Amino acid sequence: VFPWFGLDIRGTLVKLVYFELKDITTEEEEEEVENLKSIRKYLTSNVAYGSTGIRDVHLELKDLTLCGRKGSLHFIRFPTHDMPAFIQMGSEKHFSSLHTTLCATGGGAYKFEQDFRTMGDLQLCKADELDCLIKGALYIDSVGFNGHSECYYFENPMDAERCQKLPFNLENPYPLLLVNIGSGVSILAVYSKENYKWVTAPEARPADFHFVLCCSIGGGTFFGLCCLLTGCSTFEEALEMASHGDSTKVDKLVRDIYGGDYERLGLPGWAVASSFGNMMSKEKRESVSKEDLAKATLITITNNIGSIARMCALNENINRAVFVGNFFRNNAISMRLLAYALDYWSKGQLKALFLEHGGYFGAVGALLELLDSA
Amino acid sequence: MPMRAGEERVAFKMAERGGRGSGGHGSLDKSITLPPDEIFRNLENAKRFAIDIGGSLTKLAYYSTVQHKVARVRSFDHSGKDIENEPLYEISVQEEITARLHFIKFENTYIETCLDFIKDHLVNTETKVIKATGGGAYKFKDLIEKKLGLKVDKEDVMTCLIKGCNFVLRNIPHEVFAYQKDSDTEFRFQTNHPNIFPYLLVNIGSGVSIVKVETEDKFEWIGGSSIGGGTFWGLGALLTKTKKFDELLQLASKGQHTNVDMLVRDVYGGAYQTLGLSGNLIASSFGKSTTADKEFSKEDMAKSLLHMISNDIGQLACLYAKLHNLDKIYFGGFFIRGHPVTMRTITYSINFFSKGEVQALFLRHEGYLGAIGAFLKGAEQDNPNQYSWGENYAGSSGLMSTSPDVYPMQRTRSGTFDMLEMDRLERPLVNLPLLKDPSTYIPDTVDLTDDAMARKYWLTCFEEALDGVAKRAAASQPDSVDALERAEKFRQKYWNKLQTLRQQPFAYGTLTVRSLLDTREHCLNEFNFPDPYSKEGPPHKCALIFADNSGIDIILGVFPFVRELLSRGTEVILACNSGPALNDVTYSESLIVTERIAAMDPVIQSALREEKLLLVQTGSSSPCLDLSRLDKGLAVLVRERKTDLVIIEGMGRAIHTNYYAALKCESLKLAVIKNSWLADRLGGKIFSVIFKYEVPCK
């Protein structure tokens, strides 16, 4: 039963993937109800929905075969606080009359379940968010990105001229550390399709297994702190400011304390000794710009994620970390820094990998769950 | 009250040289008003200096020799001599030189004044070098060299920290504690483990350093994080416009992080319960502040920041502990330094992330580690590690809470100067090898930190006894002109310690009767009273004894006791029946027996001769004793000799009669119950011994 949707409702953003059927038969077209047509038209003919919904056109997967059908996969996102409007819209477009199931994952699948039922007359099929994440990531990697590699890495990441984004073959993915950075950070060690574990959450509490904690310093922290420090109002704005800032004015580096490298401990002078450490001084607080603060926030959070991911990889004896999540959207600074930091601190033992469809794997996984269950 | 044989013969050899030199120096520089006796003690005899200058605090260390009175017992050589009038041994007070380590912590703003003060009081000119460590060592190098005329020799920060840490772990009892938030006793002190290695030290200064320490000389920096105390301070100052670190902590302790952080329940709605997880866990720090149009309170932001940083450090520390297979993590650095708020959040985080497998531990003298280490680096030739050292409770400030909200009683020196003194012990101390598990052995029966009622009782007890101890201390040195003054200083000092312990029982580790007694000894020693019992007058002036049976009873029971009383300077009136009754000894018998004993024993002989032993009759011929009908001569003598102890012996005199007799002076009623009915009646068994010692109510 069409339409095919996968929904991932997270702390800050909702990700929606929509499979647009391209091999539609004449019979099907005749049978197709008006409501379905209008939904397809609405989604595929627009790139923005309302004031906050966006379709990431550049991510669209064309000529995809899914369950024997050909079509395109569309990637749409909007803020979680617009969920009520989304449900309202579904209700207005008589979505429930299609008798389809909507498969959703993420914390919001629980939070909004009741609203879907009462406002939208829709029964949600809830899918496990970790299963969805892994399933989605591996699926998209396997189908590739319109003939290109889905997975990539950086060569010479900190060198502005020589930095290169290169494809990585993730054909034999296991074992692998999957680091998902949304509002917070969750890290999974994946040993096979079925065997993965949540490495940073306490295992002694089985209930915690499915829960989004791990590290609370993630994309939400970057955005939240930037709002407080700079008065910005969007994630994009925060990133834009960061790209023009100088974090070394804000952070205290090893060389600021020791005059150079701290050789006794093997610490290079450029390493950050204390994030925001210079801000202990009143004079320095008065001399930094909002851009500097945004950059320092980004660097602090990225470095921290890198160091936690590296420790998890060491403890799990894994040498590949795949970073996914919306934190990396348009965020080359963080990706390149992670690539460099992981390589430097692991002495080349740990490789940072990235996937093109960074934030959408949960939603893709939810769609796949839907198809599996049908 | 311990009794000592031959105490009346104690010969004193008071050294002429007065005092240790610590108390006597003049007033401090005007800009700091401090009790001059207490800060920078014994500088005249200071030998070696080290300094650790951090971001806001300076820690100065020096080594001094303390001239110090000790009690020494020496026995005389009696071979081939007439021993009649020779004492068996002599207790003398001698001056001895011992080594002491002084550590003083003060704010960097006082550094210049302090250096001036040291310069003015430094007599010893042999010292040429001062060991320096800490981030500020470079900044103040010129000042130190100019003021003290010593060459600054810089030492590696981390090496000093580890050296200091090993030293305190090995030498200071109850150095280590775990912090428990929801307990009456927030501080859980740990028994010192004989083997302190390996351990993880997480130092949270402006950044975080994680060091694995494997042996005395082997340590490795295994990692760190840039999110540390500097981040809390710097980011906190930006967010809240609050400048001081302590004020930021204050804000944090009042805030609600749930207003700023995105919690699991915010993501999952009400449904998190069905997943069996705590909705209170933080999903995204500052995740709710992702809006430009809402105002957040300073308190809430500070709290959120504190949680973010503590959780992050806790998580990283656990990952490192797991990787290196370690289950103990010591936390230090200015972020921790005695702040209950940060100890609480770090402990919570470690418990959460390690599922309780890793223990977060803290150190009482964490702030001194760098200074101790730097000092030890400079003192290697003296090989301080070959000795045992002990914390001197008299000269150490103890663990003080820095949060006035939690502990209203702030340290009396307004928190400016904090001190630690360690004395070199005469002999190295080790475990009894037969202890089943030295790491869990606890010498003390009652933990007064835990048991509030016992604590109240014992503190009151020591307070009430204090005047008496001070008096006895003064009396022990009758020849010293300043004994009274020193005794009063002792009294004041110990009184203050007791008050501190009432407010902060954890100041010197677990509070026990032992630690209260040790603190008293340290305070007595501090004011040069090594042995207050050494020159004590006889406890009693004159004892009146009512004897019972003749034969073995009088020869092996009464006379040795009489002799003992005489030996300690108490006169004895021995009262026997005027006429015979049962097998009781009579007055006339007692005369003969005493004469025979005097022929054999010089003590009895001289006592008889000097009329210190007096034989009298009771005026009675009864096996019992009626104290209202006594021989008048006896009564006169009792009054004349100012009798202050009455001893009544035997069933007839002490049980059948006089058992309930109340006297104006101390009394001792002694008997063996030889009647089973009476034994039953009194609630004991036949042949039980009654020993009833009574002190009259005043």
Side-chain angles (χ1 to χ4, degrees), chain B residues 136-155:
Chain B
Y138 185 79
K139 194 173 152 193
F140 290 99
K141 182 174 178 282
D142 292 343
L143 184 73
I144 297 167
E145 293 193 335
K146 196 183 99 200
K147 293 273 181 195
L148 295 186
L150 300 176
K151 191 179 162 293
V152 170
D153 190 6
K154 282 209 286 171
E155 287 291 339

Side-chain angles (χ1 to χ4, degrees), chain A residues 111 211 213 216 262 275 304, chain B residues 156 226 231 264 266 282 285 312:
Chain A
K111 187 175 177 177
F211 131 73
L213 172 100
S216 71
Y262 187 176
S275 295
N304 190 61
Chain B
D156 174 64
S226 66
T231 314
V264 164
D266 299 320
I282 305 168
S285 293
D312 192 55

